[in-house]
Amino acid sequence: MAGDTGAGTARLLEGVKALRSAVSDTTLPLDLPGAPGARSARTRLLDQLDDYVIPRLTALDAPLLAVVGGSTGAGKSTLVNSVVGREVSLPGVLRPTTRSPVLIHHPSDAAWFSGPRVLPGLARITGRHSASDGPGAVRLVSTEEVAAGLALLDAPDIDSVVEANRDLATQLLAAADLWIFVTTAARYADAVPWELLRDASERGTAVAVVLDRVPAAALDEIRTHLASMLREQGLDQAPIFTVVESELVDGLLPRSQTERLTAWLAALAGDAAARADVVRQTLEGALTSLETRTRALVAAAEEQTAAGGALVDVAGAAYEEATAEVQAGIVDGTLLRGEVLARWQEFVGTGEFFRQVESTVSRMRDRFTSFLRGEPARADDLGEALQSGVESLIANRAELAAGSVSRAWRTLPGGDQLLQAHPDLAGSGKDVDRRIQRLVRDWQGDILQMVRDEGRDRRTTARIMAYGVNGLGVVLMLVTFASTAGITGAEIGIAGGTAVVGQKLLEAVFGDQAVRELARQAREHLTARVDELYAAERARYEGAVTTLHVDTQQTEQLTAAVRELEAAR
């Protein structure tokens, strides 16, 4: 550990704080299969950084904190009271006992524990126990019966039926320089405490074991078995203290049963080098475990990022497909069917007119002009039919895209969670119809402006005046969609005639090259506006993912923080 020098400790502390910031910024909002466990691991990691690693690095010479933990009914509070010599921690007669943990310290060490240096998330209370005690605070007891340099903390049951008690017990154990594990002859092999003991072993935490309520006849056998179990978990260096089953005297164990533990704690408190060894062991173990635990958090964050990315990709693909379908609909003749064809026939005449197109273009132009001047409502009707067709195409593809995203999200990790939180994502945005109508009107404005811009020289202007800007704009809209692809049966001849007539009319005014360029620009303008609309629709889904703070950069920040900490060590 680089903490042997002041500069080394400062650098290490800086690295730990950077890691703490990266862990704090890491969010796991999507309800993926492994998310609950990863969130719990993140909370425990933050707790240990806040409650132990950072405070200990900040003050390496602070008193050693020994947390007394164990299973329900193991006799932790009675043991603590017996070591101190009087009642300082209220034993729980009824189970579960919900009360504040109790921290017993020497008066000269009060400053180390009265402030937020350790366990900053817990309030400090003093005085006798009361009904208002709870796991949100730590009760401080100052007494000269505890040697300076060492404090005892009586923690809640690690297997309590009250979740808040279990969580606090786990948090307190992670804040310990030394864990005094209390168990009984009847329960020393229980699974829950051994899970925590394995965790302590993996993190290098200093551990001592108190085997309580042991029948005198079975003492050697049980102690030997317990020692072998500790050895299997890599805790063979942990001292074992035994308490033979005894009658309590004024609520305390006989002094003969606790004197060995009391003497060991007093010796530890009085030996600065021994305390430093315990602190070094536990701190080094905690620092070593940070890398593995952070790597696990990185993996969980990567799953979140991948899941969020998959949800965003699905939305992107759906609206890309919608855009492609609109682009195809613009040129495949879809918009020249039904109402549009009927209005076009009214606009320029009957089928006999189409048969005269090639031989009587001038007569066709005259007739077209008369329709524009004599019956302008027909141009309006055709324009409205085209507008309605374009709106329907865009709205239909938008709704299909929204439905596609919704169905896909329900099958993807985290997708159903987002749909429940944002039920409006099951379909298009509530004002999409209004925006589509505005889009088409704006595009019609683009068409009319192109017609005006194309008629800048006097000759073309005169022709435009002969036909009318609005009328030519309607024909340009129609030519933009003119294609026989996808049209079958009798419609082919009509649509084909539509294309030829519209093309010839516009060429008579602007010339063939200009007409091709105008049609191309018209399609590009419409596609650009549709892209913008669909981008806004797609952004609703992307925004739903973003509001959960699925940060694509959090894994890089975590990894960088781990590297920085490794370098500091």
Side-chain angles (χ1 to χ4, degrees), residues 15 18-26 45 290-302 305 551-568:
L19 176 63
R20 197 265 178 218
S21 177
V23 172
S24 178
D25 290 342
T26 300
L45 180 55
L290 292 179
E291 178 183 354
T292 301
R293 297 163 72 190
T294 305
R295 298 289 183 197
L297 185 59
V298 167
E302 287 176 341
T305 300
D551 187 354
T552 57
Q553 297 182 342
Q554 60 188 7
T555 55
E556 289 84 353
Q557 294 170 347
L558 278 173
T559 303
V562 170
R563 292 199 192 100
E564 182 179 341
L565 181 59
E566 289 173 343

Side-chain angles (χ1 to χ4, degrees), residues 235-423:
L235 294 170
D236 49 301
Q237 299 300 314
I240 301 175
F241 302 92
T242 55
V243 177
V244 175
E245 199 167 29
S246 309
E247 291 290 333
L248 300 182
V249 179
D250 296 329
L252 304 179
L253 292 166
R255 183 170 295 277
S256 61
Q257 297 301 315
T258 60
E259 59 183 355
R260 181 167 170 259
L261 173 62
T262 303
W264 182 75
L265 291 173
L268 187 59
D271 187 339
R275 292 201 311 274
D277 287 342
V278 171
V279 168
R280 185 178 297 106
Q281 174 188 339
T282 301
L283 181 57
E284 184 68 33
L287 291 170
T288 301
S289 75
L290 292 179
E291 178 183 354
T292 301
R293 297 163 72 190
T294 305
R295 298 289 183 197
L297 185 59
V298 167
E302 287 176 341
E303 289 182 2
Q304 293 275 323
T305 300
L311 294 171
V312 169
D313 289 345
V314 162
Y319 283 97
E320 284 179 6
E321 182 178 357
T323 299
E325 289 175 348
V326 169
Q327 291 173 335
I330 291 174
V331 298
D332 68 1
T334 299
L335 294 173
L336 300 183
R337 303 181 183 189
E339 183 72 11
V340 172
L341 287 174
R343 296 306 178 193
W344 174 249
Q345 290 180 70
E346 292 178 3
F347 190 45
V348 297
T350 65
E352 179 183 355
F353 179 77
F354 291 113
R355 290 192 292 271
Q356 301 173 356
V357 169
E358 293 184 1
S359 59
T360 57
V361 173
S362 61
R363 287 173 53 197
M364 174 269 293
R365 183 171 61 246
D366 293 339
R367 190 167 183 177
F368 171 66
T369 304
S370 71
F371 270 92
L372 288 175
R373 292 179 174 173
E375 301 182 64
R378 293 185 178 181
D380 292 341
D381 290 344
L382 176 58
E384 290 175 1
L386 283 166
Q387 176 180 336
S388 177
V390 176
E391 290 175 358
S392 296
L393 174 64
I394 298 171
N396 175 261
R397 297 305 183 268
E399 195 61 36
L400 288 175
S404 175
V405 175
S406 178
R407 288 190 299 274
W409 274 26
R410 294 193 186 282
T411 67
L412 292 174
D416 197 53
Q417 171 191 355
L418 285 172
L419 290 174
Q420 291 181 23
H422 303 275

Side-chain angles (χ1 to χ4, degrees), residues 5 73 179 184 191 200 228 237 299 309 314 337 365 403 500 542:
T5 66
W179 180 18
T184 65
S228 68
Q237 299 300 314
V314 162
R337 303 181 183 189
R365 183 171 61 246
V500 172
E542 296 171 348

Side-chain angles (χ1 to χ4, degrees), residues 68 75-85 88-89 104 152 154:
V68 182
K76 300 183 298 298
S77 298
T78 299
L79 178 69
V80 170
N81 291 335
S82 300
V83 168
V84 175
V88 290
S89 183
I104 307 101
L152 297 175
D154 183 14

